[in-house]
Amino acid sequence: MREGAQGELEVRIVKRRARVVVLGLGHVGLPLAVEFARAGFLVTGVEIDAQRVAHLERGESYVADIPSAELEPLVRSRRLRVTVDAGTLAEADLAFICVPTPMSKSREPDLSYIWRAVETICEHLHPGMLVVLESTTYPGTTEDVVLPRLRATGLELDRDFYLAFSPERIDPGNRHYRLRDIPKLIGGASAPSAHLAALAYRQIIPTVHVVSSARVAEMAKLLENTFRAVNIALANEFALICRALGVDVWEVIEAAATKPFGFMPFSPGPGIGGACIPVNPGYLVWKSRRHGFEPRLIGVAEEINRFMPYYAVDVIAEALNARGKPVKGARLLILGVAYKRDVGDVRESPAVTILEELLRRGADVAYSDPHVERVEIGIRAFQSIPLTADALAASDGVVIVTDHSTFDYRLIVEHAPLVVDLRNATRGFGQHPNVVRL
Ligand SMILES: NC(=O)c1ccc[n+]([C@@H]2O[C@H](COP(=O)([O-])OP(=O)(O)OC[C@H]3O[C@@H](n4cnc5c(N)ncnc54)[C@H](O)[C@@H]3O)[C@@H](O)[C@H]2O)c1
């Protein structure tokens, strides 16, 4: 253990007496707050959305990966407190920033949530505090944006406070890999900062990987998500080529995946969604351009992925056409509007684009999604309908946009007059005359 502020903070962390504050209790912040509280830390979650705070105070979780049964005892025992009042930061030893990092309308990084969170921290920054940024962002944010603002308070890095970047790598809906199962990457704004952040995360996650700087950790997170975006685009391009050639893309991918090395299967589909994969490569491209380098592959991958919902609508139109039906007036039931399986998140979901495009072409659309009660398309609001044999039979066709595991695919194939399957969810039924696959 070291002398002075760093040594004291080390002791507080190891003895689990450090007071933890998490700013932003969404898909990322809530699991992190829960994990620290489960490890015995006193945790306060600061959330600007009063409705979210009210839910959490009742022990009700709105994040699918955190069951209310897990949350409620932590809230009841006051191990985890939730508040809209950031004043609690005055007592904090560890502050984690887990706020959104979307794209602006002109598709530029929108760091406004980070700025606001950092401003709030600055009001309460005090000696002996470690600040960790978890939000995904472009390389340089921690050292060039956050650090100067913290220093402007008059406090100094390593003498008074510590600063690190540690990207969140959770995969919502993935029951196999939860927060504690995924090695944590850490890059410090200084060596003592990295050391303290690693010590803190080790209390809740068995494996941590420390890199030489915050910039490397920021870049590594962008590589992970860009890797996914580019490989999904490749799978999508293969789907387009296979359709032109009359080859089953799903069988091709399954065959290639039998190679035990050098290949990792990715699936084609109606497009990408969520807060990360469609957004993060844009952060990288923006930053790269500002440094005079124009990335090419990433931009092409983005274009392919963005084209997929429109392509999916063409596949739907062709399937209807083959049955003598125009899109205009066709009664279509969309199955799944969340951006991916078993989550309730519609941010950037390709289903929204598909619905918009089908409505624009005059289709009569409804949807069913056990995870999403209501969705707004322009000025219209849609309510999820129950998935019944009657609803399926009453449609001209159903479109599997999101392959939730709770959908009864046998019921769907048996009762719908036409199934356009954009996810290969009906693979178990072989070549069925009513099923058209991507
Ligand atoms: N969702 C994912 O799967 C995932 C995975 C890895 C990384 N990330 C990244 O993590 C970050 C957070 O994403 P998320 O999905 O948790 O977002 P989210 O929208 O689910 O949650 C963010 C929360 O922060 C709150 N908030 C905003 N500003 C605040 C402030 N100043 N003080 C307190 N609360 C504030 C919002 O009200 C919201 O509840 C983003 O950078 C995202 O790219 C997300």
Side-chain angles (χ1 to χ4, degrees):
M1 297 286 169
R2 286 164 185 77
E3 297 290 308
Q6 186 185 342
E8 277 172 34
L9 186 51
E10 280 177 10
V11 173
R12 293 176 78 78
I13 292 171
V14 173
K15 297 205 163 161
R16 304 196 177 181
R17 287 205 315 259
R19 281 153 308 180
V20 175
V21 170
V22 177
L23 283 113
L25 295 174
H27 296 81
V28 164
L30 187 60
L32 185 71
V34 162
E35 213 55 62
F36 272 112
R38 277 165 41 107
F41 289 85
L42 270 184
V43 182
T44 306
V46 176
E47 168 56 60
I48 49 170
D49 181 337
Q51 260 189 336
R52 288 195 151 185
V53 170
H55 275 289
L56 296 174
E57 276 176 336
R58 292 194 296 269
E60 295 166 9
S61 172
Y62 43 77
V63 170
D65 293 338
I66 302 293
S68 297
E70 194 175 330
L71 176 74
E72 200 271 336
L74 297 172
V75 175
R76 191 165 20 89
S77 65
R78 311 280 291 159
R79 285 251 135 245
L80 173 58
R81 287 179 295 165
V82 283
T83 176
V84 289
D85 178 11
T88 185
L89 278 163
E91 307 283 312
D93 298 302
L94 312 175
F96 296 90
I97 304 174
C98 304
V99 298
T101 43
M103 288 294 238
S104 70
K105 284 217 168 70
S106 53
R107 295 203 71 78
E108 295 202 341
D110 172 3
L111 290 197
S112 60
Y113 294 94
I114 291 186
W115 288 331
R116 181 166 169 189
V118 172
E119 282 304 318
T120 306
I121 288 176
C122 284
E123 285 166 27
H124 307 282
L125 192 68
H126 54 264
M129 193 171 176
L130 167 68
V131 178
V132 183
L133 178 61
E134 283 223 352
S135 304
T136 311
T137 181
Y138 58 74
T141 307
T142 307
E143 285 165 17
D144 304 341
V145 177
V146 180
L147 181 57
R149 181 62 194 94
L150 296 182
R151 276 187 168 141
T153 59
L155 297 176
E156 196 40 69
L157 181 70
D158 291 348
R159 187 192 66 200
D160 302 310
F161 67 87
Y162 305 91
L163 173 66
F165 178 78
S166 180
E168 187 45 70
R169 304 162 109 183
I170 51 161
D171 177 20
N174 190 330
R175 291 189 183 90
H176 188 58
Y177 289 107
R178 300 191 60 186
L179 182 60
R180 54 184 165 274
D181 307 312
I182 309 168
K184 201 81 173 89
L185 275 187
I186 294 156
S190 62
S193 299
H195 168 77
L196 285 165
L199 198 62
Y201 281 114
R202 271 199 199 99
Q203 309 305 313
I204 58 165
I205 298 170
T207 312
V208 303
H209 180 83
V210 180
V211 294
S212 63
S213 67
R215 227 173 269 274
V216 169
E218 288 162 337
M219 194 71 173
K221 171 69 188 178
L222 291 182
L223 173 59
E224 289 168 15
N225 283 5
T226 305
F227 173 86
R228 285 184 60 78
V230 168
N231 279 287
I232 292 168
L234 180 64
N236 282 333
E237 185 145 278
F238 257 76
L240 306 187
I241 299 170
C242 282
R243 199 169 171 81
L245 268 55
V247 182
D248 181 342
V249 68
W250 304 99
E251 197 184 345
V252 170
I253 293 169
E254 206 180 294
T258 59
K259 187 177 176 184
F261 56 90
F263 184 82
M264 184 191 258
F266 282 81
S267 302
I272 54 176
C276 301
I277 310 295
V279 172
N280 301 162
Y283 268 62
L284 183 59
V285 170
W286 179 87
K287 184 68 177 167
S288 179
R289 277 188 188 139
R290 288 179 63 107
H291 286 255
F293 181 77
E294 180 68 35
R296 285 175 293 165
L297 180 61
I298 302 169
V300 173
E302 275 190 310
E303 265 174 45
I304 294 169
N305 289 334
R306 267 210 294 274
F307 166 67
M308 290 311 286
Y310 300 97
Y311 177 72
V313 171
D314 281 343
V315 173
I316 298 164
E318 215 176 278
L320 285 169
N321 194 44
R323 284 157 180 77
K325 284 200 188 324
V327 177
K328 192 173 170 65
R331 282 160 305 165
L332 294 174
L333 177 58
I334 305 298
L335 301 183
V337 293
Y339 80 90
K340 72 168 182 174
R341 184 191 305 149
D342 297 344
V343 302
D345 193 347
V346 294
R347 285 179 291 182
E348 309 262 340
S349 175
V352 173
T353 311
I354 291 174
L355 279 165
E356 276 168 359
E357 191 57 15
L358 288 172
L359 286 168
R360 196 186 65 76
R361 295 194 192 190
D364 176 4
V365 287
Y367 86 91
S368 180
D369 190 320
H371 302 279
V372 184
E373 259 174 50
R374 185 175 189 275
V375 72
E376 281 170 22
I377 307 292
I379 52 164
R380 291 180 64 179
F382 290 79
Q383 214 68 38
S384 174
I385 65 165
L387 185 58
T388 62
D390 286 348
L392 290 163
S395 74
D396 291 317
V398 304
V399 185
I400 301 171
V401 177
T402 310
D403 52 343
H404 291 310
S405 54
T406 50
F407 281 145
D408 183 343
Y409 292 103
R410 178 165 298 284
L411 183 87
I412 294 165
V413 171
E414 276 174 8
H415 294 276
L418 163 69
V419 180
V420 178
D421 180 0
L422 304 173
R423 300 281 189 179
N424 202 24
T426 56
R427 56 192 163 277
F429 301 95
Q431 291 300 328
H432 192 283
N434 290 353
V435 178
V436 173
R437 298 200 179 96
L438 184 75

